[in-house]
Amino acid sequence: MFRRIGSGVVRHPVWTIVAWLIAAVAIVATAPSLPSNSDESSFLPKSYESIKAADLQAKAFPSAFTPSAIALYQRSDGGKLTAADQKDVARITTELGKKHIDQVQKVVPGPPSKDGRYTMTLVQMDSKNAGQPAQADAAKVLRDDVKQLAKGTDLDVKLGGSAAQALDQQDSSQRGEALIGIGTFLIILVTLLIIFRAPILAVLPLVLIGVVASIANGLIAYATKLFGLQANSSVSSILIVVLFGVGTDYFLFLMFRYRERLRAGDEPKQAMINAVARVGEAIASAAGAVIIAFLALVLSTLGFLKQMGPALAISVTVTLIAGLTLIPAVVSLIGPKVFWPSKSWQQEPQNARFAALGRGVQRRPALTAALSGLVLVALSLGTLGYKATFDLASGSMPKTKESMVVQDEMQKAYSAGAAAPTDVYLSSTDGKPLDKSGFPAYAEKLGAVDGVASAKMSQVNQDGTTADFTVTLKYEASTEKAIDAVGRVRDVAHASAPDGTKALVGGMSSIYKDINTAVNHDYRTVFPVAALLIMLILGLLLRSVVAPWYLIASVGLGFGATLGATVWIFQDAQGHPGLMFMLPVIMYLFVVAIGTDYNILMIARLREEAREGRDPREAASMALRHAGPTVAAAGFILAATFATMMLAGNALLTEMGFAVSFGIAIAAFVMAMFFTPSLTALIGHAAWWPGHADRIQETPDGHGSDASGPAAGTGDEDPVTPGPAGRRG
């Protein structure tokens, strides 16, 4: 099949390129634009308690005041607020309300801090648009206006709250995307220049992947709108790296084999046909593993991950199609001039370093497997200290952003949980009014819960069927202590609810508690489903039942080593309270899926060498010699491009950038280089049971042929141009 694809593309390169350009223009011109959503509650399905509580609040207390923005005042000299300062704050609050800013429904004064150094203005916005760009725009206007109104006073004012966080997150995301894009571009350009010493080859993948990216983004927009998925700004940053990183990987897989076939004496067009025929199956299988792993995210209960899965799967699918059609078409059109001015493509290198590594694996496979496995196990021990943090807002932007400064100052000036109180809604189950005489005792029980600073009955709805109890925790809403405390509040609220009533616990800590539950659900479903599907792909590629087991086990060890190293770096060395809650899921998918690429490339080459008649140990040695440079180059570029995410300047992308780049480095330079070939050499022919994919089969005319037949790219013979094309590289 891959030979037919290669032949069709190489013989009609212009039509292939034109088809891609038409598709790019049509999709980009018609794709819908998508707003980004930064509201954490939108990530959860309606079945969770925190979402049920939010729905109940909207029905029972439609005019309830929930601030979306908070203007925090303090004196410029840091002293206590004077009577004149209080008068200025009252004037600013009144004038701010008179401006009738879009989305703003109410502006009221907030409580002063106990030490008298801070006070607030609270701004309520339309709850239907929580997390939407319209509220970020409103926060921008509010921030400018409140600072303008405070001019000429002794007050220093900053704007915080969820709307301001959305604005700062948006700005941080745009800056991060620019830095990631520039970093990715430079890394790929410089690395390809060093590898090939050919400017055309260095620039070509960037141009082609740029076309692929425009198509992929358009298709993602269509899919997001069609299936009603959540759009989030962090996905854009990840997409840049996935498209350019994975696209460059497939470009390298193809170009290394193309160069190898040219060195073997193939005519240029035939060299590309043979390259697609030989490496196409490995590229398709590698991409298939990545696509299936990403699609497994649709099983997630979190809207953020549900959207990310299909988006990344679409990106890799488009990249795969480009790798088998667009790239071969363009390169075959240019021909060997693509390597200009270097002439190294004309001579077979000795690959001395990789040949030496291959000989080492051949002589001591058991020692190689033991040492590489020991490294993975040792690093995996760090997973025992893993903790999660759920503050997606502060994780998505630097601590220096104004809304983050407000959050930190409010935690010091007020009760840590005051910025995001927990609400317990007590409702009648029979539609009758609640018995108010039991309210004080109920509030007292809630206030006695470990981790609660205070609890009081705030309001009752007009029908008297629902009461709102405001519970202020001792801890900031996203901390592990707050999440544990809200769990205890739930237990007491449910158990102490009077007969004929039902309690629901809402608020940010309750949302984070449910997100934690959802993530644990994803660990139990997404992980095993992705692993099983990747094993299925490996089994189909290798026609083996044995090999997929130790290949997926090695990748699992790679995941453990990556998470362990990330815990040691960020939690232990840098003192982070925990890693972002979604990091293990994302890390698992990237390390397992993309890391499998290198295992697939190495094991496919090992099988090819075995089909040449070499014994298992020699086949492992030759596979490392020939595929080693490709894996090293691709692994370095992909790890380096993911590392550019650390330039974004926020905790989420910094942790993700380090974790995924480290995991890919482990996959390329430990698993694919040493662990996989040494284990395969040790297991020998049994690795391919029940098939015989590593052995030459005799054809009726008595000549040897690959076990999978011509469709797998077994013969290099050009049907038109016989001769040197038949030699192996």
Side-chain angles (χ1 to χ4, degrees):
M1 180 179 79
F2 295 101
R3 179 172 294 279
R4 287 195 295 273
I5 291 172
S7 179
V9 166
V10 168
R11 299 192 194 287
H12 304 286
V14 175
W15 285 112
T16 303
I17 296 167
V18 167
W20 271 93
L21 292 175
I22 291 172
V25 171
I27 291 171
V28 171
T30 59
S33 59
L34 293 172
S36 177
N37 194 336
S38 59
D39 180 19
E40 284 95 337
S41 65
S42 68
F43 298 158
L44 289 167
K46 300 291 184 185
S47 58
Y48 282 88
E49 181 169 349
S50 59
I51 307 304
K52 289 180 179 178
D55 291 342
L56 176 60
Q57 179 198 24
K59 292 174 185 174
F61 307 103
S63 59
F65 191 93
T66 304
S68 298
I70 300 169
L72 183 67
Y73 305 89
Q74 66 179 127
R75 282 185 60 83
S76 302
D77 59 11
K80 289 189 176 183
L81 296 170
T82 65
D85 295 331
Q86 297 284 6
K87 188 179 287 188
D88 284 330
V89 171
R91 174 185 57 81
I92 293 169
T93 302
T94 302
E95 291 187 23
L96 207 57
K98 290 178 180 177
K99 286 182 176 290
H100 301 294
I101 298 167
D102 180 49
Q103 297 293 312
V104 173
Q105 295 178 330
K106 196 182 294 183
V107 182
V108 299
S113 62
K114 290 180 180 179
D115 61 7
R117 295 177 186 273
Y118 294 87
T119 191
M120 297 184 288
T121 293
L122 306 177
V123 181
Q124 184 181 26
M125 295 188 189
D126 187 352
S127 60
K128 294 177 183 176
N129 292 327
Q132 297 297 334
Q135 294 204 351
D137 295 340
K140 184 173 176 57
V141 176
L142 277 168
R143 184 172 283 171
D144 293 340
D145 286 353
V146 77
K147 290 182 187 297
Q148 188 65 38
L149 291 169
K151 277 189 177 178
T153 70
D154 294 324
L155 296 170
D156 176 40
V157 58
K158 300 182 185 73
L159 192 77
S162 59
Q165 287 177 353
L167 172 64
D168 290 341
Q169 187 177 350
Q170 190 180 85
D171 293 342
S172 178
S173 175
Q174 289 171 352
R175 175 182 171 275
E177 278 184 41
L179 288 172
I180 289 169
I182 293 167
T184 299
F185 185 92
L186 289 175
I187 285 168
I188 293 173
L189 186 68
V190 171
T191 308
L192 290 178
L193 275 172
I194 293 170
I195 293 171
F196 292 107
R197 297 187 293 280
I200 297 175
L201 261 183
V203 173
L204 191 60
L206 295 170
V207 175
L208 297 181
I209 296 166
V211 174
V212 171
S214 64
I215 293 175
N217 280 318
L219 292 176
I220 289 165
Y222 275 121
T224 303
K225 197 155 190 175
L226 181 64
F227 296 106
L229 301 170
Q230 295 291 341
N232 186 274
S233 55
S234 298
V235 175
S236 301
S237 302
I238 299 168
L239 279 176
I240 293 170
V241 178
V242 169
L243 281 163
F244 281 90
V246 174
T248 305
D249 261 13
Y250 299 159
F251 179 82
L252 284 171
F253 289 0
L254 189 67
M255 292 313 300
F256 269 95
R257 187 51 74 100
Y258 175 58
R259 187 175 65 178
E260 186 179 324
R261 295 314 313 155
L262 287 172
R263 286 168 174 168
D266 288 11
E267 179 269 330
K269 287 190 179 295
Q270 188 61 36
M272 180 54 73
I273 294 172
N274 290 334
V276 174
R278 283 178 171 268
V279 84
E281 187 179 19
I283 291 175
S285 300
V290 178
I291 291 164
I292 280 181
F294 287 158
L295 283 177
L297 281 175
V298 299
L299 300 175
S300 170
T301 48
L302 292 173
F304 172 79
L305 295 177
K306 269 184 181 293
Q307 192 266 343
M308 182 186 286
L312 295 176
I314 289 168
S315 299
V316 177
T317 302
V318 177
T319 307
L320 165 64
I321 297 168
L324 296 177
T325 59
L326 181 61
I327 293 172
V330 173
V331 173
S332 67
L333 204 59
I334 300 171
K337 290 178 183 176
V338 76
F339 296 104
W340 178 88
S342 172
K343 297 186 191 267
S344 62
W345 65 273
Q346 297 173 342
Q347 297 177 349
E348 178 73 29
Q350 293 303 309
N351 284 343
R353 292 187 186 88
F354 291 97
L357 291 174
R359 288 193 296 271
V361 170
Q362 182 178 0
R363 285 196 299 267
R364 297 183 181 87
L367 180 63
T368 304
L371 288 176
S372 53
L374 192 61
V375 168
L376 298 174
V377 171
L379 288 172
S380 297
L381 294 176
T383 59
L384 299 175
Y386 167 74
K387 293 178 182 176
T389 182
F390 296 85
D391 191 356
L392 189 59
S394 63
S396 301
M397 68 186 102
K399 289 289 185 183
T400 53
K401 284 290 187 181
E402 187 170 326
S403 59
M404 291 295 99
V405 174
V406 170
Q407 180 174 290
D408 291 341
E409 289 183 350
M410 282 188 65
Q411 287 178 35
K412 295 170 187 172
Y414 298 82
S415 169
T422 295
D423 289 286
V424 177
Y425 299 102
L426 189 67
S427 298
S428 168
T429 55
D430 56 10
K432 296 178 181 178
L434 295 167
D435 180 6
K436 295 181 180 180
S437 63
F439 288 175
Y442 190 68
E444 187 178 348
K445 288 181 180 178
L446 293 174
V449 174
D450 182 27
V452 172
S454 65
K456 62 178 182 178
M457 203 287 291
S458 301
Q459 57 186 328
V460 180
N461 70 339
Q462 288 183 347
D463 298 334
T465 55
T466 301
D468 176 11
F469 293 81
T470 301
V471 178
T472 303
L473 302 178
K474 294 178 180 178
Y475 318 107
E476 195 276 318
S478 65
T479 60
E480 192 172 358
K481 287 182 177 179
I483 292 167
D484 290 341
V486 88
R488 293 190 290 271
V489 169
R490 282 185 178 181
D491 292 340
V492 171
H494 297 160
S496 302
D499 292 339
T501 66
K502 179 183 178 182
L504 289 174
V505 180
M508 287 310 302
S509 293
S510 186
I511 288 171
Y512 292 136
K513 172 77 174 172
D514 287 339
I515 288 176
N516 187 32
T517 302
V519 169
N520 289 332
H521 165 271
D522 291 349
Y523 291 161
R524 295 190 300 270
T525 54
V526 177
F527 281 25
V529 167
L532 285 171
L533 292 174
I534 290 172
M535 282 183 65
L536 181 63
I537 284 181
L538 289 170
L540 293 172
L541 168 69
L542 304 174
R543 286 79 165 171
S544 166
V545 172
V546 177
W549 283 99
Y550 68 82
L551 289 176
I552 204 70
S554 72
V555 175
L557 270 177
F559 165 76
T562 303
L563 182 57
T566 308
V567 167
W568 278 333
I569 293 290
F570 290 97
Q571 286 185 201
D572 298 339
Q574 295 190 15
H576 287 201
L579 303 180
M580 289 306 296
F581 68 92
M582 65 183 72
L583 188 64
V585 176
I586 294 171
M587 188 193 306
Y588 175 83
L589 292 164
F590 277 100
V591 174
V592 170
I594 297 178
T596 303
D597 281 11
Y598 306 123
N599 264 344
I600 286 174
L601 189 70
M602 185 61 73
I603 201 84
R605 185 61 190 240
L606 195 151
R607 179 185 64 181
E608 187 177 323
E609 296 297 336
R611 286 173 173 173
E612 294 286 342
R614 297 182 175 94
D615 65 57
R617 293 193 179 196
E618 187 186 1
S621 172
M622 295 303 292
L624 191 50
R625 175 182 175 181
H626 290 298
T630 311
V631 170
F636 173 79
I637 288 178
L638 193 58
T641 52
F642 271 103
T644 61
M645 293 170 73
M646 298 173 71
L647 300 173
N650 66 64
L652 173 61
L653 292 180
T654 298
E655 290 173 3
M656 194 184 299
F658 170 81
V660 177
S661 60
F662 184 85
I664 287 166
I666 286 284
F669 296 101
V670 178
M671 290 189 298
M673 289 279 194
F674 299 105
F675 198 60
T676 296
S678 59
L679 272 181
T680 307
L682 276 174
I683 297 171
H685 293 299
W688 308 97
W689 185 87
H692 302 286
D694 65 326
R695 299 184 185 182
I696 298 175
Q697 290 183 345
E698 292 295 320
T699 58
D701 61 1
H703 291 89
S705 136
D706 285 349
S708 62
T714 59
D716 280 342
E717 293 76 33
D718 184 343
V720 178
T721 312
R727 293 194 291 115
R728 297 251 180 204

